[in-house]
């Protein structure tokens, strides 16, 4: 079943007759059109229409087989009005602005608009074979680039220059960065999202590199913490504790496991090392068209792992004024348990 067919089934199950899709990731998922920021997708019992404007006419013709209507608002909404009159239509409450919703209500007075709820999140959580292949290929490329750039991570080099090398190499290979490359050295390692700065890496420091490739619309995500020279015993101790938590959480991945329990497993291990407070974020997240999507691997998550999900496992410990460690693998949940998709070498300190 295609994702569009799955979406139709889910809409019926939710008592909806159609949907007005505005999130670019969902437009891509359901239509194949890659410039969703300048498009909308209308699903009605009568069919599906992709709305975009003249700048994308040729591109839409190449990327989607769905009927396409070339227009800009308000013509777009006027064209859709005839199709949506009298319908109960879903919209993405997480994406549509209040102003855009008001505009829809003004243009379609006879349409009942209601939030889609978790329907699309659910649909996206379990990946198709094609999606898994794209994520796998993105990670293979990221591993390759990391191996090429690894020798540059040494004392005297600016964080920025490492990030530039990573980005340039990903671009040359036909991908883009999934997010701004994080290169956090020395005390900057205490910032979980310390994007590369002009800081010069020093001897005896740990350097956290968090990078992802985006290929064919799908993202990868991996973190390695690298030792430059000989870090002191305190940093080594923190590194070993994070690695232990990471490996234990990966080993526990299998269908049926509660995402919240995985978070607890890693958090309890770090707490045992006196680092519970230093683990300042969730254990991980699902990944696909967005870097962060369901399932959420956090304490309050209701998600349960299923075969076909692609998740990250990334415990960390952040010590202000000292530094930090994060180790992250990209993991596919399989019928048998798991497959680690990220293969970059890890330090053994
Ligand atoms: C700005 S994208 C950063 C990607 C990075 N690899 C990452 O996922 N970092 C985690 C620490 C993170 O942001 N986790 C989220 C899900 C959280 O804990 O809320």
């Amino acid at each position: 079943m295609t994702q569009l067919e799955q979406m139709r089934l889910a809409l019926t199950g939710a008592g909806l007759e159609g949907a007005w899709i505005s999130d670019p990731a969902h437009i891509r998922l359901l239509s194949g059109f890659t410039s969703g920021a300048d498009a909308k997708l209308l699903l009605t019992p009568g069919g599906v229409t992709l709305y975009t404007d003249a700048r994308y006419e040729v591109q839409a013709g190449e990327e989607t087989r769905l009927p396409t209507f070339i227009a800009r608002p308000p013509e777009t909404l006027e064209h859709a009005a005839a199709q949506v009159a009298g319908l109960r239509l879903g919209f993405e409450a997480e994406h549509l602005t209040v102003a855009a919703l008001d505009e829809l209500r003004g243009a379609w007075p006879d349409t009942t608009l209601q939030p889609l709820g978790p329907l699309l999140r659910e649909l996206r959580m379990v990946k198709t074979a094609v999606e898994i292949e794209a994520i796998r290929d993105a990670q293979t490329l990221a591993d390759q680039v990391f191996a090429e750039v690894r020798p540059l991570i040494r004392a005297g080099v600016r964080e920025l220059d490492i990030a530039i090398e990573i980005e340039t190499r990903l671009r040359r290979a036909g991908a883009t960065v999934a997010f701004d490359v994080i290169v956090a050295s020395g005390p900057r390692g205490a910032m979980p999202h310390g994007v590369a700065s002009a800081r010069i890496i020093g001897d005896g420091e740990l350097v956290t590199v968090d990078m992802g490739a985006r290929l064919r619309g799908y993202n990868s995500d991996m973190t390695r913490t690298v030792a430059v020279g000989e870090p002191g015993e305190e940093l080594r101790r923190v590194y070993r504790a994070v690695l232990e938590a990471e490996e234990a959480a990966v080993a526990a991945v299998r269908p049926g496991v509660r995402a919240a329990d995985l978070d607890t497993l890693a958090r309890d291990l770090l707490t045992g090392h006196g680092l519970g407070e230093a683990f300042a974020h969730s254990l991980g997240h699902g990944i696909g068209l967005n870097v962060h999507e369901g399932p959420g691997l956090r304490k309050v998550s209701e998600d349960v792992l299923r075969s076909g999900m692609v998740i990250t496992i990334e415990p960390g410990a952040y010590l202000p004024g000292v530094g930090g460690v994060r180790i992250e693998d990209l993991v596919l949940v399989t019928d048998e348990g798991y497959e680690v998709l990220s293969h970059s070498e890890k330090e053994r300190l």
Side-chain angles (χ1 to χ4, degrees):
M1 206 184 328
T2 66
Q3 281 141 324
L4 192 56
E5 288 163 343
Q6 286 181 45
M7 172 72 179
R8 281 207 175 283
L9 268 185
L11 284 174
T12 307
L16 291 163
E17 291 151 299
W20 179 251
I21 303 295
S22 56
D23 181 336
H26 295 152
I27 290 171
R28 181 170 188 145
L29 182 82
L30 300 171
S31 74
F33 184 60
T34 60
S35 292
D38 289 313
K40 301 283 181 282
L41 195 66
L42 175 63
L43 277 78
T44 64
V48 189
T49 308
L50 175 75
Y51 289 97
T52 188
D53 64 69
R55 293 171 295 173
Y56 301 100
E57 191 166 1
V58 173
Q59 184 185 329
E62 286 177 2
E63 292 181 346
T64 183
R65 283 198 294 255
L66 295 180
T68 302
F69 189 79
I70 302 294
R72 281 181 192 254
E75 204 191 334
T76 313
L77 298 189
E78 286 160 14
H79 179 269
Q83 302 172 64
V84 301
L87 295 185
R88 182 175 292 276
L89 217 60
F91 65 89
E92 300 133 307
E94 304 77 11
H95 191 268
L96 201 72
T97 62
V98 176
L101 182 58
D102 277 350
E103 203 183 352
L104 294 186
R105 292 211 159 111
W108 305 336
D110 302 327
T111 305
T112 305
L113 289 160
Q114 74 176 59
L116 282 166
L119 193 149
L120 273 158
R121 178 181 189 272
E122 293 286 328
L123 196 151
R124 282 171 62 178
M125 272 204 285
V126 174
K127 269 59 185 180
T128 64
V130 170
E131 292 179 301
I132 292 169
E133 218 39 50
I135 299 170
R136 188 191 293 280
D137 290 349
Q139 182 56 47
T140 300
L141 190 56
D143 280 329
Q144 202 176 304
V145 166
F146 183 76
E148 290 166 11
V149 171
R150 174 67 186 85
L152 305 178
I153 308 174
R154 51 176 197 263
V157 174
R158 290 189 316 165
E159 294 174 352
L160 262 178
D161 293 315
I162 291 161
I164 290 166
E165 277 300 325
I166 290 173
E167 179 154 2
T168 307
R169 284 164 196 264
L170 287 175
R171 281 198 163 271
R172 275 207 201 101
T176 60
V177 285
F179 48 88
D180 283 346
V181 181
I182 293 166
V183 183
S185 63
R188 289 193 77 251
M191 293 190 278
H193 284 179
V195 291
S197 75
R199 185 178 189 279
I200 295 170
I201 296 168
D203 193 33
E205 291 183 345
L206 291 182
V207 184
T208 301
V209 180
D210 185 344
M211 57 177 285
R214 178 173 295 154
L215 194 65
R216 306 197 292 275
Y218 285 83
N219 297 286
S220 71
D221 191 1
M222 172 189 73
T223 308
R224 292 292 181 262
T225 299
V226 168
V228 172
E230 296 290 323
E233 187 43 38
E234 172 62 0
L235 288 176
R236 287 168 179 272
R237 188 187 73 79
V238 175
Y239 184 90
R240 287 193 294 265
V242 173
L243 184 59
E244 182 189 337
E246 203 264 346
E247 291 182 337
V250 169
V253 169
R254 61 175 187 282
V257 166
R258 291 180 65 241
D261 291 344
L262 282 183
D263 181 279
T264 304
L265 186 158
R267 212 165 287 280
D268 286 353
L269 275 168
L270 285 170
T271 302
H273 288 283
L275 294 169
E277 290 293 311
F279 181 12
H281 50 75
S282 60
L283 177 67
H285 51 87
I287 183 162
L289 286 167
N290 292 121
V291 175
H292 290 165
E293 55 184 58
L297 280 71
R298 57 179 70 236
K299 213 165 36 183
V300 295
S301 177
E302 298 283 317
D303 296 328
V304 175
L305 297 191
R306 276 182 281 162
S307 182
M309 288 178 168
V310 182
I311 58 173
T312 67
I313 298 286
E314 50 179 313
Y318 309 95
L319 304 169
V322 178
V325 175
R326 179 165 64 259
I327 303 168
E328 173 182 24
D329 276 313
L330 187 64
V331 180
L332 169 66
V333 185
T334 64
D335 290 343
E336 296 74 32
Y338 66 91
E339 178 190 345
V340 178
L341 302 181
S342 44
H343 297 292
S344 293
E345 231 176 88
K346 291 173 192 157
E347 295 279 355
R348 299 282 154 186
L349 295 180

